[in-house]
Amino acid sequence: MTTPLTTWVPGAAGSHFDVDNLPYGVFSRAGEEPRVGVRIGDLVLDLAPVAAAEMLDVHHVFEERTLNLVLDLAPVAAAEMLDVHHVFEERTLNALMAEGRAVRSSVRRWVTGLLTEEPERDLVEPHLVPLADVTLHLPVEVADYVDFYASEHHASNVGRIFRPDAEALLPNWKHLPVGYHGRAGTVVASGTPIVRPSGQRRVSTGSTTGAVTFGPSRRLDIEAELGFVVGVGSELGSPVAHDDFADHVFGLVGLNDWSARDIQAWEYVPLGPFLGKSFATSISHWVTPLEALDAAWVDLPGQDPEPLPYLAPTAARGLDIDVEVVVNGDVISRPPYRSMYWSPAQMLAHLTVNGASLRTGDLFASGTISGPEVDQRGSLLEIGWGDESAFLADGDEVTLRYSAPGTAGGRIALGEVTGRVEPARA
Ligand code: CA
């Protein structure tokens, strides 16, 4: 194991945003256009001016610090960096993500060097901006959005609540990662207010089925999930192999799939989730690149029956990510992502096995993360077991926090996602 690098950035060493994390986001300062930044500690590194100074000005090549920098990079990586500096001036991460895995790694090595090599400090420090001085934006222009249902505990709990007289899991559930296509245009950044949706609902009480009514949802819920952001697309007609996951996926976001259970329960048969889900999906401002999660991969809990070969049953791996569900400041649940039945790479393989192509900015989510214990459930539906008083009231604020083992032996924080419920609009 190599010695962990130490950053010169004040306050960052030993924090959950040390140099083994370095998530990407899009930020702006008052009066300026949004552009790409990297979080270190409680600061944002403004990449565009640093890239311009270090990579474009050929005179710098003859200065000692830049020579060191260039020598630190493989020649190919350095050439790639010279080509891609413009991606840091964009309003989303899409252009950076589309450059692919090699550039993703090169940029990460470059940023790590900037933040750990003392000679870089004079040039870099003026471009570190306190988080308190910036506005953070939706980091990705979302192309397509798919939501899976990969937790056996969540799927079983929901089955028991919605279909108490039937098998908890439907016959297909352990053969394929069940999912549906959601609404990309209503994926919003953390902090965006969530307006209580209205719609049709019919509430059953006991053996009595109530009238069909219209109005604000009375069962507004959360779903604590992880989102996976696609950087590199694929060709229509060609499935993406399970083992090519890291060539296509750029990184991870925190994700809250807000759900109106009364609207959902009335509409979902036979074609699945629709208006009970599509009013809003919140994602974190920060996108954690895959490289930051190298130490977080773990074995899956176990798959029986063995999935078909395209789902790579012997190669599939899960992620050891801890989640906290915080409602109005109180931690009410701690779902463990390592308990998920289907792996992220299996979800991607299944999503494309019919030849459906990927695009830069595609987002696929894990489905609600629920563990086996009562205090590990990722939705209020499960936490309250259908009790109407468990759902969200106007003014409630929900925050999802995520952490994982970092590559330097400590822990890193993934992007948190938050939202406050606003009253329905007439
Ligand atoms: Ca969901």
Side-chain angles (χ1 to χ4, degrees):
M1 188 170 167
T2 53
T3 309
L5 295 165
T6 305
T7 181
W8 50 260
V9 176
S15 76
H16 287 178
F17 292 94
D18 202 340
V19 282
D20 58 341
N21 192 345
L22 302 179
Y24 294 91
V26 174
F27 77 101
S28 61
R29 288 190 277 192
E32 294 182 2
E33 292 293 304
R35 56 181 182 264
V36 172
V38 164
R39 179 163 176 181
I40 176 78
D42 289 328
L43 302 162
V44 182
L45 173 60
D46 186 355
L47 287 174
V50 180
E54 287 232 332
M55 307 309 292
L56 289 185
D57 186 342
V58 291
H59 297 292
H60 280 137
V61 172
F62 302 107
E63 292 179 10
E64 189 184 356
R65 65 167 180 248
T66 308
L67 191 59
N68 281 343
L69 172 74
V70 172
L71 289 173
D72 281 345
L73 301 173
V76 173
E80 283 167 350
M81 280 297 306
L82 285 166
D83 269 355
V84 303
H85 67 276
H86 61 92
V87 301
F88 305 128
E89 295 161 14
E90 301 282 331
R91 308 176 67 94
T92 69
L93 300 179
N94 289 46
L96 169 62
M97 299 194 305
E99 292 288 339
R101 186 176 184 178
V103 168
R104 188 175 80 216
S105 296
S106 300
V107 170
R108 185 170 173 83
R109 284 201 299 278
W110 171 62
V111 172
T112 302
L114 294 175
L115 299 173
T116 55
E117 293 168 16
E118 193 65 33
E120 302 287 347
R121 185 166 179 168
D122 285 351
L123 181 125
V124 173
E125 201 156 23
H127 303 292
L128 287 172
V129 190
L131 269 176
D133 294 348
V134 306
T135 300
L136 297 169
H137 302 273
L138 186 68
V140 172
E141 182 179 1
V142 180
D144 287 304
Y145 167 47
V146 167
D147 195 19
F148 284 95
Y149 196 49
S151 161
E152 180 177 4
H153 305 290
H154 172 69
S156 300
N157 289 339
V158 171
R160 291 191 189 104
I161 294 167
F162 275 10
R163 300 181 302 275
D165 301 324
E167 284 288 318
L169 292 180
L170 291 168
N172 58 5
W173 198 90
K174 289 196 170 182
H175 292 271
L176 54 83
V178 169
Y180 68 97
H181 280 85
R183 191 163 185 85
T186 53
V187 175
V188 298
S190 175
T192 304
I194 303 302
V195 176
R196 181 178 298 274
S198 293
Q200 284 197 27
R201 62 271 206 277
R202 181 159 73 164
V203 178
S204 302
T205 39
S207 59
T208 316
T209 299
V212 178
T213 57
F214 179 90
S217 171
R218 294 169 186 150
R219 298 186 173 196
L220 183 57
D221 199 355
I222 59 157
E223 293 194 335
E225 308 195 15
L226 267 183
F228 301 85
V229 182
V230 171
V232 175
S234 64
E235 185 189 348
L236 185 65
S238 297
V240 172
H242 174 277
D243 292 352
D244 292 341
F245 176 81
D247 291 333
H248 291 273
V249 170
F250 178 86
L252 278 65
V253 289
L255 187 146
N256 187 345
D257 175 26
W258 304 93
S259 300
R261 299 300 181 194
D262 40 3
I263 297 171
Q264 179 189 356
W266 173 229
E267 75 180 358
Y268 87 105
V269 178
L271 289 185
F274 187 32
L275 303 178
K277 299 280 192 177
S278 64
F279 56 95
T281 305
S282 300
I283 63 170
S284 59
H285 293 123
W286 298 107
V287 182
T288 307
L290 278 190
E291 285 77 7
L293 292 161
D294 280 350
W297 293 99
V298 290
D299 289 337
L300 294 172
Q303 297 182 320
D304 183 21
E306 185 173 286
L308 291 171
Y310 79 90
L311 293 168
T314 57
R317 303 267 283 162
L319 281 166
D320 182 14
I321 295 175
D322 288 343
V323 187
E324 285 185 341
V325 180
V326 185
V327 179
N328 299 328
D330 296 326
V331 177
I332 63 164
S333 178
R334 299 178 194 274
Y337 194 83
R338 63 186 163 278
S339 66
M340 299 296 271
Y341 189 88
W342 293 104
S343 82
Q346 288 178 322
M347 292 186 239
L348 186 67
H350 187 66
L351 171 57
T352 60
V353 73
N354 65 347
S357 47
L358 299 173
R359 291 189 290 174
T360 299
D362 279 359
L363 171 68
F364 64 97
S366 61
T368 307
I369 307 158
S370 289
E373 308 298 331
V374 170
D375 59 0
Q376 295 179 331
R377 293 171 178 166
S379 71
L380 302 175
L381 174 73
E382 295 162 89
I383 290 169
W385 210 258
D387 177 1
E388 198 150 301
S389 67
F391 295 109
L392 296 170
D394 291 345
D396 282 350
E397 184 174 72
V398 180
T399 300
L400 307 177
R401 298 193 194 120
Y402 306 80
S403 69
T407 54
R411 291 192 76 76
I412 60 170
L414 284 73
E416 70 175 41
V417 56
T418 190
R420 183 184 293 272
V421 178
E422 289 193 345
R425 292 181 187 161

